[in-house]
């Protein structure tokens, strides 16, 4: 490394967010960036540790120490070349990845000040686009034709990898534009859709064909129906069925799945117009978000920007500790209290609450009856057990958003030339894991075609 002792005198410095009073008035990205000099200093903190656990923790196997060193030395082009060799779309992961690498950074484990790996990754990707390091590359075609069903992070990764190997790739998707969850699930204030469009234009310039607004029935791939059209197929349709809450009153109006709001808001930003009776708007309403994960957080930020009177988020699990959780030591994922930019914008958060029934008036939801629960620690290999306490209350709400995750899709037995990647194969997971699954599927298809 260029400066193996920099971590001793240069503290971790994050770019931070735009001020709350400014950012809640728009849907622009909330995260700021550092200047080039400060970014290079942050990269210098990578300490050339004996075993780079960051590399081990990354689903993509990114070589963080190598591109951190190049960044520190000002070799931005080389940094991008190293980064893009393992990560197809660092401009995505650099914005929305929860940074498993940072949770395993030796500086995280030793002094709770990991290298700003995710931010550095985003900075390298943006510099590459800004300075023109990224240009379309047209490969020599080998005559093989591949169909990718689903234009989400896994599908885009499969398409990119196989296209660069010389295969002719066609991507099918039922939506209006590519991106999948990146475009229709993640709010613009975390990932501006211009970032997706920029990459898709590059993929198109390199020869990938996108057929949007096209429903592709994957059930037909259990036979040889399409074998005369393509040499191989990759199903990347994601995990689209949200987990429901089947309690009394579920039929009341004003209860929506999280993506009902998130996808509609993203479409509105793109200029789509919805009739008043189809709008999922938080304006002037008391919002209750059921589910404490990232999707719930996205609902909070969106509700605030739409003009909600108040936002409350409840979670059935207990409140995790701050900073360090002895129950989840490294190398486990640290289950600790996470406060997102949306939480900072104004939200009441509550834990250990089970939803019992929806309450309504004139067919519309007015609140949710909840009951406090206790969690009994696991004994041996058992899982923790939930115990109802009998302490009930009603949380008033004019709109309820269900953000409890998605169900793992069941797939039929496909023909031998059909492969599966991303959430369609694993169930709901992280974007970075979907991309890793896309890479693995592309390698399997390459092997099959050989």
């Amino acid at each position: 490394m260029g400066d193996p002792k920099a971590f001793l005198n240069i503290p971790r410095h994050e770019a931070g967010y735009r001020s709350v009073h400014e950012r809640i008035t728009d849907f622009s990205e909330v995260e700021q960036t550092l200047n080039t000099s400060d970014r290079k200093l942050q990269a210098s903190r990578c300490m050339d540790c004996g075993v780079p656990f960051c590399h081990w923790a990354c689903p993509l196997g990114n070589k963080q120490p190598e591109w951190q060193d190049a960044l520190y030395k000002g070799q931005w082009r080389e940094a991008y070349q190293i980064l893009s060799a393992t990560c197809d779309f660092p401009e995505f992961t650099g914005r929305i990845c929860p940074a498993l690498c940072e949770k395993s950074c030796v500086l995280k484990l030793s002094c709770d000040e990991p290298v700003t790996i995710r931010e550095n990754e985003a900075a390298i990707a943006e510099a590459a686009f800004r300075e023109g390091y990224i240009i379309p590359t047209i490969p020599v075609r080998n005559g093989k034709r591949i169909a990718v069903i689903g234009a989400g992070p896994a599908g885009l990764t499969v398409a990119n990898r196989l296209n660069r190997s010389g295969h002719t790739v066609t991507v099918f998707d039922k939506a209006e534009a590519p991106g999948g969850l990146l475009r229709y699930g993640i709010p613009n204030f975390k990932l501006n859709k211009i970032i997706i469009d920029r990459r898709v234009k590059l993929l198109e310039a390199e020869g990938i064909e996108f057929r949007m607004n096209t429903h592709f029935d994957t059930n037909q791939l259990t036979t040889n129906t399409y074998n005369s059209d393509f040499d191989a197929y990759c199903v990347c349709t994601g995990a689209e069925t949200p987990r429901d809450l089947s309690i009394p009153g579920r039929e009341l109006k004003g209860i929506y799945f999280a993506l009902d709001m998130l996808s509609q808001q993203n479409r509105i930003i793109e200029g789509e117009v919805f009739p008043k009776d189809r709008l999922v708007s938080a304006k002037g309403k008391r919002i209750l978000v059921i589910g404490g994960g990232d999707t719930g957080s996205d609902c909070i930020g969106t509700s605030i920007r739409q003009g909600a009177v108040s936002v409350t988020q409840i979670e059935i699990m207990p409140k995790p500790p701050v900073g360090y959780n002895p129950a989840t030591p490294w190398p486990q994922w640290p289950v600790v209290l996470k406060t997102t930019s949306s939480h900072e914008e104004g939200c009441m958060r509550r834990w250990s609450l089970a939803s019992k029934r929806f309450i309504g008036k004139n067919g519309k939801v007015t609140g949710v009856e909840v009951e406090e629960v206790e969690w009994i620690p696991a004994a041996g290999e058992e899982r923790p057990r939930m115990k109802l306490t009998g302490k009930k209350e009603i949380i008033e709400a004019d709109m309820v958003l269900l953000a409890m995750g998605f169900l793992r899709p069941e797939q039929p037995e496909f023909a031998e030339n059909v492969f599966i990647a991303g959430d369609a194969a694993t169930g709901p997971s992280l974007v970075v894991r979907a991309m890793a699954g896309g890479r693995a599927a592309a390698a399997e298809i390459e092997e099959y075609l050989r």
Side-chain angles (χ1 to χ4, degrees):
M1 304 298 292
D3 189 354
K5 296 184 178 180
F7 71 95
L8 295 173
N9 50 48
I10 298 176
R12 174 183 169 95
H13 176 43
E14 300 177 30
Y17 305 121
R18 294 189 290 139
S19 62
V20 171
H21 76 274
E22 174 192 325
R23 70 183 191 241
I24 63 174
T25 63
D26 58 48
F27 280 87
S28 298
E29 290 187 357
V30 300
E31 195 166 44
Q32 302 182 117
T33 187
L34 298 179
N35 61 49
T36 300
S37 177
D38 287 342
R39 183 56 64 201
K40 289 165 63 177
L41 281 178
Q42 288 303 299
S44 75
R45 297 184 66 246
C46 187
M47 58 187 289
D48 193 22
C49 49
V51 179
F53 296 120
C54 55
H55 167 75
W56 165 83
C58 178
L60 292 169
N62 283 345
K63 300 176 181 178
Q64 291 90 343
E66 283 84 347
W67 52 257
Q68 298 278 17
D69 183 49
L71 173 56
Y72 163 64
K73 294 175 180 176
Q75 299 168 349
W76 292 80
R77 184 190 293 268
E78 181 180 347
Y80 179 76
Q81 290 172 342
I82 298 171
L83 174 57
S84 61
T86 54
C87 181
D88 293 66
F89 313 120
E91 67 271 28
F92 301 158
T93 51
R95 283 174 166 81
I96 60 175
C97 185
L100 285 73
C101 51
E102 292 188 25
K103 305 304 184 292
S104 293
C105 176
V106 171
L107 291 179
K108 166 67 177 178
L109 305 178
S110 61
C111 59
D112 199 28
E113 284 206 347
V115 177
T116 54
I117 302 174
R118 180 187 60 79
E119 289 188 8
N120 293 356
E121 180 177 324
I124 291 171
E126 289 309 305
F129 276 102
R130 183 176 62 249
E131 300 299 327
Y133 303 155
I134 305 175
I135 58 175
T137 302
I138 311 298
V140 177
R141 300 299 171 187
N142 56 27
K144 300 292 185 180
R145 301 182 69 240
I146 314 295
V148 177
I149 301 95
L156 292 177
T157 302
V158 172
N160 184 51
R161 291 267 156 177
L162 294 178
N163 180 67
R164 293 191 174 185
S165 294
H167 308 301
T168 300
V169 180
T170 303
V171 180
F172 299 86
D173 197 287
K174 64 184 179 182
E176 312 92 273
L181 191 67
L182 295 170
R183 183 178 296 276
Y184 297 111
I186 297 175
N188 276 38
F189 56 78
K190 290 172 63 175
L191 175 64
N192 193 309
K193 303 310 175 273
I194 293 175
I195 304 302
I196 303 175
D197 295 337
R198 180 178 63 184
R199 176 61 72 169
V200 169
K201 288 180 180 178
L202 180 68
L203 297 178
E204 289 177 325
E206 292 182 335
I208 297 176
E209 179 186 0
F210 288 90
R211 296 187 188 178
M212 307 310 298
N213 294 305
T214 302
H215 178 73
F216 194 112
D217 184 6
T218 58
N219 289 319
Q220 298 183 55
L221 295 180
T222 57
T223 67
N224 294 325
T225 304
Y226 291 104
N227 282 4
S228 60
D229 295 330
F230 295 93
D231 297 287
Y233 301 80
C234 193
V235 177
C236 306
T237 48
E240 297 184 300
T241 305
R243 185 172 285 109
D244 207 344
L245 188 57
S246 299
I247 58 176
R250 178 64 180 87
E251 74 284 352
L252 292 168
K253 293 182 179 180
I255 304 171
Y256 303 96
F257 291 116
L259 282 189
D260 292 340
M261 165 187 267
L262 298 177
S263 62
Q264 186 182 93
Q265 179 58 57
N266 285 355
R267 285 180 164 90
I268 290 174
I269 292 174
E270 292 299 312
E272 191 169 342
V273 178
F274 293 85
K276 188 175 182 180
D277 61 346
R278 286 184 54 205
L279 278 178
V280 184
S281 175
K283 186 175 182 179
K285 298 176 182 176
R286 299 163 298 176
I287 306 301
L288 175 64
V289 179
I290 301 178
D294 286 337
T295 303
S297 169
D298 294 342
C299 289
I300 293 168
T302 302
S303 296
I304 290 171
R305 284 161 178 75
Q306 288 183 351
V309 171
S310 65
V311 184
T312 301
Q313 182 183 38
I314 64 174
E315 166 65 61
I316 197 170
M317 299 301 294
K319 182 178 180 179
V322 177
Y324 176 74
N325 187 345
T328 56
W330 185 85
Q332 297 181 56
W333 173 260
V335 180
V336 295
L337 182 65
K338 181 179 180 180
T339 300
T340 68
S341 62
S342 295
H343 291 135
E344 295 176 354
E345 294 164 3
C347 166
M348 177 179 289
R349 306 171 70 187
R350 301 184 62 184
W351 289 265
S352 298
L353 292 178
S355 303
K356 306 301 291 184
R357 64 187 177 100
F358 295 109
I359 300 170
K361 184 178 181 181
N362 298 326
K364 296 181 180 179
V365 69
T366 59
V368 180
E369 181 182 81
V370 298
E371 182 173 354
E372 188 176 319
V373 300
E374 291 181 357
W375 286 91
I376 301 173
E381 296 183 358
E382 296 180 359
R383 302 182 67 178
R385 291 185 293 113
M386 185 183 75
K387 176 184 176 182
L388 297 172
T389 64
K391 299 177 182 177
K392 299 181 180 180
E393 64 175 289
I394 294 176
I395 299 177
E396 296 182 343
D398 305 306
M399 188 164 82
V400 178
L401 298 169
L402 306 180
M404 303 178 297
F406 298 83
L407 301 177
R408 179 173 180 169
E410 295 183 4
Q411 302 290 358
E413 185 175 345
F414 289 118
E416 66 170 10
N417 66 336
V418 180
F419 301 81
I420 316 174
D423 291 359
T426 65
S429 188
L430 304 174
V431 167
V432 67
R433 288 202 176 106
M435 290 171 58
R439 283 186 54 191
E444 291 177 9
I445 293 172
E446 292 272 27
E447 181 66 25
Y448 168 78
L449 293 176
R450 281 195 292 268

